[in-house]
Amino acid sequence: MTTNQSSSRFTPLTPIATTHPILFIDRTAPLPELHACASERLHATLDYLTLMACMTLRDSSANDINTLTNIARIMVQDVADVFGVIEQRGLEEE
């Protein structure tokens, strides 16, 4: 596979902790698989945030809250990136 083929096939996830993309989405994956990936992450994030909303954070530190928030941010960013690929694929097929 050439570099040009690779760059058109794979879309990088938004880098959060790095200056260069490390994780990529296969743009040629079947749409149901891309949707399942995004759906799994979205539902896991919703379940996680529901759990956090029901907990008492009296014993937590500011660092704990920052960690919890960062986990949710990473998961939602992944979902947004996968949905971006799904949307682009939909526009290309029209």
Side-chain angles (χ1 to χ4, degrees):
M1 179 182 321
T2 66
T3 303
N4 193 22
Q5 288 173 319
S6 178
S7 65
S8 65
R9 179 176 175 184
F10 297 100
T11 298
L13 287 172
T14 301
I16 293 176
T18 63
T19 56
H20 293 49
I22 304 298
L23 301 174
F24 294 83
I25 303 164
D26 182 352
R27 292 176 43 82
T28 64
L31 286 174
E33 296 293 324
L34 291 168
H35 182 270
C37 176
S39 180
E40 176 184 45
R41 282 164 173 70
L42 181 59
H43 285 93
T45 304
L46 287 172
D47 290 346
Y48 168 78
L49 290 172
T50 299
L51 177 65
M52 292 299 105
C54 295
M55 292 181 63
T56 302
L57 297 176
R58 277 177 264 166
D59 297 328
S60 62
S61 70
N63 189 40
D64 294 337
I65 294 170
N66 186 43
T67 299
L68 298 172
T69 304
N70 197 40
I71 291 167
R73 181 176 65 97
I74 290 168
M75 295 297 286
V76 170
Q77 184 62 62
D78 283 1
V79 171
D81 289 346
V82 174
F83 275 137
V85 169
I86 291 171
E87 290 168 5
Q88 190 60 41
R89 288 265 305 270
L91 293 173
E92 290 172 356
E93 292 177 4
E94 287 184 358

